[in-house]
Amino acid sequence: MGLDAQHRYLVMAEHGEGGQRGEPGQTDTPAAGPPSAVVTAPSAPRGPMSIAVIGAGPAGLMAAERLAARGYAVDIYDQMASPARKLLIAGRGGLNLTHSEPLDAFLRRYTQLHPLLEKALRSFTPDALRAHAEGLGQETFVGSSGRVFPRAMKASPLLRAWLKRLDRSGVRLHPRNRLVGFAPGSGAPLIEAASGERIEIRASAVLLACGGASWPRPGSDGAWEAMLRDGGITVAPLVPANCGVRISWSDTMRTRHAGEPLKRMTVSIDGARFAGEAIITETGLEGGPVYAAIPHIRLALANSPHGATIAIDLRPDLDAGELEKRLSRPRGKQSAATWLRKSTGLSPAAIALLREAGGGALPADPASRARHIKAAPLTDVATAGLERAISTAGGIAFDALDENLMVRSRPGLFAAGEMLDWEAPTGGYLLQATYATGVMAAEGIANWLAAASDRALSEPGADEERAPATQAS
């Protein structure tokens, strides 16, 4: 199926899939896909310069673009009915492409930044991503938070232009073709078409860009994790990142305050402190400072069977002494709730959280109450599941890859995007690394194929079949 035939489904997919996960109060529903009559099975390889990309998200599309520009025949296989479904969902709340902060500060946002990922990010910088978007006719701007967005805000105009570019370069897309494993003996990726037919993918090189395990409905289901591990490839377990936390609220908290924001607050755990705005949900908390704390919460959960404890500062702009001074003023005839709201500036939702953290009551004396506002403890905190996470941590270990992002144990098999073991917060860092590793993998494939060609030319009689990507080592 040509990429151009996918264009008519993009707006449908964007509006059928709900809001950006992580935008409070928004939900998602399955999007309608194209009719089955247009689905084609994977076609035959296109010669010795053929590349197979498995996964039609940003990493796969970026790699396909770079490889096609070098003259390779590229086929993209994706299990969904249309490409880049997760990108379309992310664009519903405003497509945050990257961030404008200085590169060294940008790199520090990544948890345990591996040298290979750092190399990818330094080679394909935020400025390069903006230039790519603008080359597709999508002007970008920097928001007040430093985040970078396309002027259109949505993902669909960018994606339409991108697919047209790929179509013109000869890239072919095969929707509804799912990776189900690797063929015994040859090690070739096995693709199952919508018809149920299974086909070995024979190509000069194969790039895996299947995404993580968050948002399974648009295709990121992590089904590849067990396949690769069974094939002897080192894969760190996929765990939720940038997700909400689960808290056992009282009925009052759930029914009266779910959906209400907590402004100018911070979340603290194990000495780390994260500022921003959160929202109360029926099951816990969502929002930027919560997402940023998730790596620390996961570590605490790993070390304790009783859940993690986080502290919420509901007035980070005031110190405890100033709060105590305000709380020492006479209450007069005001109700306790009205007096507390007026003296501290706390919202009814924030006061309700204070009561939850205090077991239903608030400390009586001003000093203790001030300390409670500055560090309200929430206990037995757990992370939301993978299906509700914005992204995942874990994936193919960088130590299992060479400098070209090729799997060391399977020559010719490469990986990029969220399949790799890296973690970053929201704010443009996720898409940036996805794009950058797609570029790095494309360069790696080209380098590896060029080296293989040079070896073949220098070794008369060498077996030309020993290097294919689909060959098991």
Side-chain angles (χ1 to χ4, degrees):
M1 180 180 182
L3 284 164
D4 204 41
Q6 294 288 334
H7 298 165
R8 71 179 73 97
Y9 303 111
L10 294 181
V11 175
M12 180 188 301
E14 184 175 5
H15 291 287
E17 306 267 6
Q20 180 180 3
R21 192 73 59 80
E23 289 292 326
Q26 295 180 332
T27 59
D28 57 87
T29 55
S36 58
V38 301
V39 176
T40 59
S43 55
R46 294 194 275 171
M49 295 283 282
S50 65
I51 310 295
V53 176
I54 302 176
L61 297 181
M62 196 70 205
E65 178 183 330
R66 291 298 182 102
L67 290 163
R70 287 174 170 263
Y72 292 99
V74 183
D75 287 86
I76 304 175
Y77 303 90
D78 193 85
Q79 66 180 350
M80 302 305 291
S82 58
R85 298 282 278 269
K86 186 174 177 180
L87 183 71
L88 288 172
I89 297 174
R92 284 285 287 150
L95 181 61
N96 184 191
L97 289 169
T98 186
H99 202 284
S100 63
E101 67 186 339
L103 185 58
D104 286 342
F106 186 99
L107 294 173
R108 287 195 291 272
R109 303 290 185 178
Y110 292 82
T111 302
Q112 297 178 343
L113 180 66
H114 191 277
L116 274 179
L117 181 58
E118 181 177 357
K119 181 181 177 182
L121 292 165
R122 289 189 180 278
S123 298
F124 189 81
T125 63
D127 285 342
L129 198 159
R130 294 185 71 181
H132 179 264
E134 292 177 3
L136 293 171
Q138 302 303 306
E139 183 185 356
T140 62
F141 72 96
V142 179
S144 59
S145 64
R147 299 183 183 198
V148 176
F149 301 88
R151 285 284 176 195
M153 292 301 285
K154 298 178 182 179
S156 54
L158 182 146
L159 184 55
R160 275 195 296 268
W162 200 356
L163 295 180
K164 287 179 180 178
R165 174 186 287 181
L166 292 170
D167 194 48
R168 288 193 300 267
S169 67
V171 175
R172 299 190 303 192
L173 176 66
H174 309 283
R176 290 180 172 153
N177 283 281
R178 181 169 58 96
L179 178 68
V180 292
F182 297 87
S186 71
L190 281 175
I191 297 293
E192 184 177 273
S195 64
E197 180 184 12
R198 290 194 173 190
I199 301 167
E200 290 188 25
I201 300 300
R202 292 287 184 170
S204 302
V206 173
L207 172 63
L208 299 179
C210 303
S214 61
W215 298 14
R217 276 181 284 185
S220 296
D221 58 13
W224 52 266
E225 180 182 3
M227 299 176 204
L228 298 191
R229 190 175 288 119
D230 291 346
I233 299 171
T234 304
V235 180
L238 296 174
V239 294
N242 293 303
C243 64
V245 291
R246 291 176 176 164
I247 301 168
S248 297
W249 296 131
S250 66
D251 289 341
T252 299
M253 192 71 168
R254 281 195 300 272
T255 57
R256 293 186 182 179
H257 299 290
E260 295 186 22
L262 296 170
K263 298 181 180 293
R264 60 183 182 188
M265 54 90 78
T266 67
V267 176
S268 297
I269 179 171
D270 295 333
R273 184 179 175 91
F274 308 98
E277 180 177 329
I279 191 165
I280 299 167
T281 68
E282 290 185 357
T283 57
L285 290 173
E286 293 266 0
V290 177
Y291 303 154
I294 289 298
H296 300 271
I297 293 172
R298 287 200 313 264
L299 182 61
L301 291 171
N303 295 328
S304 171
H306 305 297
T309 296
I310 59 176
I312 307 297
D313 183 349
L314 293 164
R315 285 305 308 263
D317 54 325
L318 298 177
D319 61 28
E322 175 60 25
L323 281 170
E324 182 181 355
K325 180 180 176 181
R326 295 185 180 196
L327 291 165
S328 297
R329 296 169 184 165
R331 193 175 99 184
K333 296 182 179 180
Q334 300 176 94
S335 68
T338 299
W339 171 75
L340 187 59
R341 177 174 55 81
K342 289 184 176 181
S343 61
T344 62
L346 295 176
S347 67
I351 294 171
L353 186 142
L354 285 176
R355 294 187 184 279
E356 291 282 316
L362 295 176
D365 65 282
S368 298
R369 188 168 289 187
R371 289 193 296 270
H372 193 58
I373 293 171
K374 295 294 293 179
L378 297 175
T379 58
D380 297 327
V381 171
T383 60
L386 276 170
E387 74 284 354
R388 296 304 304 172
I390 293 174
S391 61
T392 49
I396 300 172
F398 277 103
D399 290 345
L401 306 172
D402 70 6
E403 68 278 5
N404 292 318
L405 297 185
M406 184 174 74
V407 178
R408 294 181 186 275
S409 61
R410 290 181 180 253
L413 182 66
F414 297 75
E418 206 177 337
M419 290 186 75
L420 307 182
D421 185 13
W422 55 270
E423 183 174 5
T426 57
Y429 309 99
L430 298 169
L431 263 182
Q432 181 68 48
T434 300
Y435 272 76
T437 54
V439 171
M440 188 177 194
E443 297 296 318
I445 289 170
N447 292 340
W448 181 75
L449 289 175
S453 177
D454 290 344
R455 286 195 301 271
L457 290 173
S458 65
E459 300 176 17
D463 182 1
E464 294 182 358
E465 293 299 320
R466 68 183 174 177
T470 55
Q471 192 96 7
S473 62

